[in-house]
Amino acid sequence: MRAWGGEQVQEAVAGCTATLRTVADRDWTGVNAGRLEWSCHRTALHIASDLIAYAGQLAGRAQDAYVPFDITLDEGTDNAGLLHVIETTGALLAATVRVTPPDVRAWHPYPFRSADREGFAAMGIAEVLLHTHDMAEGIGIPYEPSEDLAESVLTWLFPHVQPGPAAWPTLLWATGRGELPGRAPVTEWRWCNNLVVPAERLTLTGVRPAAARDLRLGGDGGFDWIEGGPYEGTREAAGMAVKAYETGVHRPEFGLFVLVRREDGRAIGGMGFHGAPDEDGRAEIGYDLVEGARGQGYATEALRALSRWALARDDVRTLFATVDLANTASQGVVTRAGFKQVSEGEEEELAYELRRA
């Protein structure tokens, strides 16, 4: 899967400054940025502040809150100077994303209290694209970023939003900035970084729609797999996640997770849900491991961690899994994770269940 992050941040910033430089001689202080209550000048400063804040979160490895700093402009800074600040802070975020290891996560409030380097890159790009649109709308000039950038923001930050006919209008609609035929107006919104669930030797890393699509098509999904991976079950689960995303029913916290070893950052398998819990709070869980990672307790460890996370939620009461009658190894995994056999299913499968205490 193609690396995503620093290059796209710089592309977004370049498009922003090229657009706004054509109107740098106008009054930005007395004009509101589109539907915002902020002036165009304040909005441009907000872009720069977000870019440097995201760079600071990653570089400082912040874990509990935003790093307590901000930027201020020198007295007398004109619009051209402000654009230079945006270029500079964008370059700092791009550089930070490039040198940050893939397993590093830093604090961000929405929705799971952290984001990785790709998440911070996507948030920076979203701020640039959307607020450049706001300013252009307020000043009265055209602006439209590349479809690739807009689609990347949607697949990285809006996995819960069904794709529309085109990415840019969909992103504007999803953030309350436009209309989309057949969809109600959006009045409140949040983006959604991927979830990670820690285990003793593993990190269960939530798979974004773009990565799931790559896995389904035979790619690596952006993960460094051990030899023989990913296994066929992970690719099938990725296809289920893509289908859910494309039909607008994807709940990212109830999707696919890739199991990544902490000791070396290598991916060894996949685990996840077949969908969101039903009205009775029941959710099905499945998993597979690359052959070279089997027999070492990884699947049991991951299943315990994911089950513990799920059953701590108010909307999950019961987890269940089905295992082939001949697959004694997998039967051992679910049993060690606390699941109880409840019935013999069809097609020589055994059904197992784990209830909230």
Side-chain angles (χ1 to χ4, degrees), residues 85-120:
V85 174
I86 291 176
E87 289 173 328
T88 303
T89 53
L92 290 170
L93 176 58
T96 304
V97 168
R98 290 189 181 105
V99 301
T100 300
D103 61 326
V104 169
R105 295 185 74 89
W107 188 86
H108 189 275
Y110 307 123
F112 303 119
R113 315 298 286 179
S114 72
D116 59 8
R117 63 184 185 182
E118 293 175 339
F120 278 105

Side-chain angles (χ1 to χ4, degrees), residues 93-234:
L93 176 58
T96 304
V97 168
R98 290 189 181 105
V99 301
T100 300
D103 61 326
V104 169
R105 295 185 74 89
W107 188 86
H108 189 275
Y110 307 123
F112 303 119
R113 315 298 286 179
S114 72
D116 59 8
R117 63 184 185 182
E118 293 175 339
F120 278 105
M123 289 187 289
I125 292 168
E127 296 284 357
V128 171
L129 301 189
L130 295 170
H131 289 315
T132 303
H133 162 80
D134 296 334
M135 293 180 64
E137 186 177 62
I139 296 171
I141 57 174
Y143 168 74
E144 184 170 341
S146 73
E147 191 72 357
D148 284 346
L149 278 179
E151 183 179 13
S152 293
V153 170
L154 286 170
T155 57
W156 252 259
L157 295 180
F158 294 87
H160 52 292
V161 172
Q162 183 180 13
W168 179 233
T170 303
L171 181 57
L172 291 178
W173 168 81
T175 58
R177 289 172 166 83
E179 298 179 355
L180 211 58
R183 302 194 193 185
V186 172
T187 56
E188 294 183 2
W189 61 273
R190 293 288 191 194
W191 53 45
C192 182
N193 280 291
N194 69 328
L195 172 67
V196 295
V197 178
E200 184 178 349
R201 296 173 295 166
L202 303 169
T203 299
L204 284 68
T205 303
V207 177
R208 299 173 171 100
R213 185 181 296 123
D214 185 69
L215 284 168
R216 182 192 64 176
L217 296 175
D220 58 17
F223 295 91
D224 180 17
W225 291 87
I226 65 171
E227 185 177 354
Y231 207 64
E232 58 186 21
T234 297

Side-chain angles (χ1 to χ4, degrees), residues 7-31:
E7 179 182 344
Q8 288 74 22
V9 170
Q10 291 194 294
E11 179 186 346
V13 169
C16 161
T17 55
T19 297
L20 297 178
R21 192 164 280 120
T22 64
V23 290
D25 59 338
R26 299 195 193 178
D27 176 20
W28 290 6
T29 302
V31 178

Side-chain angles (χ1 to χ4, degrees), residues 300-318:
T300 301
E301 179 183 323
L303 184 56
R304 285 172 176 161
L306 192 58
S307 299
R308 185 166 53 248
W309 171 85
L311 291 173
R313 295 174 57 95
D314 292 337
D315 55 354
V316 180
R317 297 184 180 87
T318 307

